[in-house]
């Protein structure tokens, strides 16, 4: 088995960690989108230690809540790349888009699609996600991250607060769709969150900003915070924790930014690192 490696040696003594924040796709979940089989056992151990666990993802709150159903009591969900933070069904913070900006983005994506780019927009509302594109291949991608979604004729006219606009590009998003959104980069964040997904949010919104608000509200310091990430939308979140880990499979910029490296998402890197740092009893065979 691989051991955790990093820019510095890990301490031999248990670390005082009060909050653990983990990205989902490419980090906690394996490449098939499955959580580690022993995740719930580790979460139970953390709960007994008084350590909070927080999923931080581009996924919507409803999707995260379903994934952690039954073990979500007191859990803090940093959803929609930090634009929507929820605990025990109560919203702790949000940073919604101006509806006019959301409408401009939807129209921009319509134009890109008309021009031959295989792309579609997901309007990420607080209550559900909305899509105009309704073909099976596109909706299959949407359903992975947005369990509460519906197809609409006009996504510029939905009656919901909009957290962000997510774009799925069947090609390499960084090379096709991202450059076409240059007009939005002056006023908003245009984040390539994976090979095929791009998120457009307010400039003030990111996982790191959401995490810092959570730390302030709970009186938890960066020195008591452990964070795991793998892609560009995790960079600010890594900056908010002294114990910042990039997955071995992470984007090069993430590997450079994090203080430490964890084994890959397919090697159960998050749980193995947690167990090592907090000296949890091994649950591999439990």
């Amino acid at each position: 088995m691989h051991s955790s490696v990093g820019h510095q040696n890990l301490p031999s003594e248990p670390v005082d960690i009060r909050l653990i924040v983990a990205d989902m796709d490419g980090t906690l979940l394996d490449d098939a989108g499955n959580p580690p089989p022993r995740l719930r056992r580790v979460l139970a151990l953390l709960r007994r230690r008084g350590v909070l666990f927080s999923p931080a993802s581009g996924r919507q709150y409803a999707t995260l809540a379903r994934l952690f159903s039954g073990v979500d009591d007191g859990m803090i969900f940093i959803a929609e790349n930090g634009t929507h933070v929820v605990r025990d069904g109560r919203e702790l913070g949000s940073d919604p888009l101006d509806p006019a900006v959301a409408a401009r983005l939807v129209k921009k994506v319509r134009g890109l699609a008309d021009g031959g780019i295989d792309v579609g927009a997901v309007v990420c509302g607080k209550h559900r996600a909305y899509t105009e594109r309704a073909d099976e291949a596109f909706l299959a991608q949407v359903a992975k991250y947005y369990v509460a979604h519906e197809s609409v004729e006009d996504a510029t006219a939905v009656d919901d607060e909009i957290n962000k606009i997510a774009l799925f590009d069947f090609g390499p998003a960084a090379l096709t769709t991202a450059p076409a959104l240059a007009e939005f980069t002056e006023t908003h964040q245009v984040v390539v969150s994976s090979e095929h997904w791009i998120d457009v949010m307010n400039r003030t919104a990111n996982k790191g900003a959401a995490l810092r608000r959570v730390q302030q509200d709970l009186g938890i310091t960066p020195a008591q915070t452990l964070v795991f990430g793998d892609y560009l939308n995790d960079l600010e979140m890594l900056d908010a924790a002294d114990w910042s880990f990039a997955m071995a499979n992470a984007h090069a910029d993430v590997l450079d930014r994090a203080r430490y490296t964890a084994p890959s998402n397919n090697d159960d890197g998050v749980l193995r690192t947690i167990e090592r740092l907090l000296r949890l009893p091994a649950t591999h065979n439990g």
Side-chain angles (χ1 to χ4, degrees):
M1 297 177 72
H2 301 290
S3 61
S4 295
V5 294
H7 304 162
Q8 309 167 39
N9 293 325
L10 296 181
S12 57
E13 297 300 316
V15 177
D16 176 28
I17 298 296
R18 307 293 175 88
L19 175 63
I20 299 174
V21 186
D23 170 56
M24 293 290 101
D25 297 281
T27 301
L28 182 65
L29 308 182
D30 65 20
D31 285 349
N34 298 315
R38 70 184 197 285
L39 174 61
R40 288 172 181 254
R41 293 193 290 277
V42 172
L43 290 176
L45 291 173
L46 293 175
R47 184 181 297 275
R48 288 201 285 272
R49 290 273 187 98
V51 179
L52 288 170
F53 182 85
S54 175
S57 176
R59 295 177 179 228
Q60 68 181 173
Y61 166 63
T63 305
L64 296 173
R66 176 181 290 188
L67 182 63
F68 290 93
S69 176
V71 292
D72 58 349
D73 184 34
M75 187 175 284
I76 298 168
F77 293 94
I78 298 176
E80 306 276 22
N81 276 333
T83 62
H84 197 201
V85 182
V86 180
R87 186 180 195 184
D88 293 331
R90 185 172 67 89
E91 181 179 291
L92 300 183
S94 67
D95 196 345
L97 276 176
D98 182 327
V101 173
R104 278 178 53 212
L105 280 158
V106 170
K107 292 172 183 176
K108 181 71 175 183
V109 174
R110 289 174 185 166
L112 295 176
D114 289 343
I117 295 178
D118 196 1
V119 64
V122 183
V123 176
C124 304
K126 284 190 179 177
H127 300 293
R128 66 187 63 246
Y130 308 89
T131 60
E132 293 178 348
R133 184 168 170 172
D135 58 285
E136 187 175 341
F138 178 73
L139 290 181
Q141 297 298 327
V142 173
K144 293 179 184 179
Y145 309 100
Y146 303 94
V147 297
H149 75 272
E150 66 177 87
S151 297
V152 295
E153 287 192 13
D154 184 2
T156 68
V158 299
D159 184 19
D160 201 347
E161 274 194 84
I162 308 304
N163 293 317
K164 63 181 174 68
I165 303 293
L167 287 65
F168 183 83
D169 186 337
F170 281 90
L175 300 179
T176 52
T177 299
L181 299 175
E183 66 192 84
F184 295 95
T185 59
E186 294 181 6
T187 54
H188 291 76
Q189 288 193 81
V190 178
V191 182
V192 180
S193 53
S194 73
E195 182 181 358
H196 299 287
W197 283 99
I198 294 176
D199 289 320
V200 184
M201 308 172 290
N202 287 335
R203 190 173 288 282
T204 49
N206 58 66
K207 293 181 184 180
L211 172 54
R212 290 181 192 279
R213 286 196 299 270
V214 168
Q215 290 169 322
Q216 184 173 11
D217 289 346
L218 299 177
I220 293 174
T221 68
Q224 297 170 318
T225 306
L226 170 59
V227 168
F228 298 90
D230 79 301
Y231 221 79
L232 301 176
N233 57 330
D234 298 322
L235 290 173
E236 294 88 355
M237 181 172 73
L238 295 170
D239 293 343
D242 287 6
W243 299 98
S244 59
F245 282 80
M247 310 309 291
N249 53 286
H251 188 286
D253 291 351
V254 178
L255 288 164
D256 286 342
R257 191 90 145 241
R259 295 189 176 190
Y260 303 93
T261 306
S264 79
N265 63 318
N266 290 323
D267 289 331
D268 204 6
V270 170
L271 297 192
R272 288 168 56 195
T273 303
I274 290 172
E275 288 168 340
R276 176 174 174 181
L277 277 177
L278 276 69
R279 296 297 185 268
L280 296 181
T283 61
H284 296 72
N285 300 317

